[in-house]
Amino acid sequence: MAPQLVEIVEVGPRDGLQNERVRVATATKVRFVEALVAAGLRRIEVSSFVHPQAIPQLADAEKVFSLLHRDPNVRYSALVPNARGLTRAIAAGVSEIAVFTAASDTFVRHNIRMSQQQSLELFRPVVAEALANGISVRGYVSTVFGCPYEGKITAEQGIAVAEALLAMGCREVSIGDTIGLATPGDVRRWLAAAEDRLPIDQIAMHFHDTRGTALANVLMGLEAGVRVFDSSAGGLGGCPYAPGASGNLATEDLIFALHGMGFDTGVDLPRLVQASATIAAELDHLLPSRYFQAARVQSCLPVA
Ligand code: COA
Ligand code: ZN
């Protein structure tokens, strides 16, 4: 039997870098994205067309897109918060945008300064215009398993937002555990609650590893039939609007586990480690990916 495919959406250049203190040079970002492509990643969230003062780390989005040598087999996407962001994304020639809202109203207000309901109304025409321009759209639902401001979030809150995003034309919804609160039990219960409401082939899952449960949560997603996961190379990441959020699940760790389970991802692990190394050199801390760290230590050991 041919191995089953799992799609990885690499979010390190966006979700990762937006939370790094260090400003990474534009040329390094471009090299990083190109190295990720060379490692076999086919979906990469490159940057954000948000207000440059909201996320100064990604203020060079246009520059990054203009310098990239693009591979026609790769979907290069960007986060877009409103119509102005879409105009910028179209001018930059992105192949996919991501719109974003959250399961909790307070989080949306902190993030994009409007209510959850207003965010859905704002995105409806943005999604329609993107589709009219041949750009596919994914929708993020943040804080699905808990909110830094509101605490516990019910499954119904996230499911309703995901339904609204799919209804307006998003091809996929990414279900986000923004502050890394979910346990495997929570994920299993959430997916069971969503089973009759959301098509499983339009669900992606986005875990942060704040409390060490991200990879276990992926397994619960796999068990329920989810085949798209977001992760960031080296485990870069977090969210400046989510106090205490730490990095995304590391792409290396995810792929190591998936390959061991017999899934195909199209990604070459040694080349992925090389891609992460291009960014590691510019950071003020060690990359958290355990696989990355092990690979680096082992490459220094004498061959027996
Ligand atoms: N790109 C660049 N500039 C933008 C913009 C965009 N996408 N959206 C709005 N602006 C500009 C407007 O043109 C306006 O400029 P002016 O003052 O020179 O006329 C100014 O920003 C204010 O516009 P307004 O619509 O009132 O926006 P706001 O100040 O309420 O900010 C957002 C709203 C959504 C643009 C801003 O909060 C944002 O970018 N947030 C992103 C948060 C994020 O990325 N979070 C990470 C995800 S976890
Ligand atoms: Zn995230």
Side-chain angles (χ1 to χ4, degrees), residues 87 102 107 142 146 177 209:
T87 305
F107 188 83
S142 295
D177 182 22
D209 204 27

Side-chain angles (χ1 to χ4, degrees), residues 18 49-51 54-55 81-82 84-85 88 111 113 239 241:
Q18 79 174 21
F49 291 102
V50 296
H51 195 293
I55 309 283
N82 53 19
R84 172 81 198 280
R88 293 174 58 200
N111 201 5
R113 305 214 239 171
C239 175
Y241 293 88

Side-chain angles (χ1 to χ4, degrees), residues 277-289:
T278 63
I279 209 79
E282 294 221 7
L283 300 179
D284 56 357
H285 61 88
L286 205 63
L287 280 173
S289 163

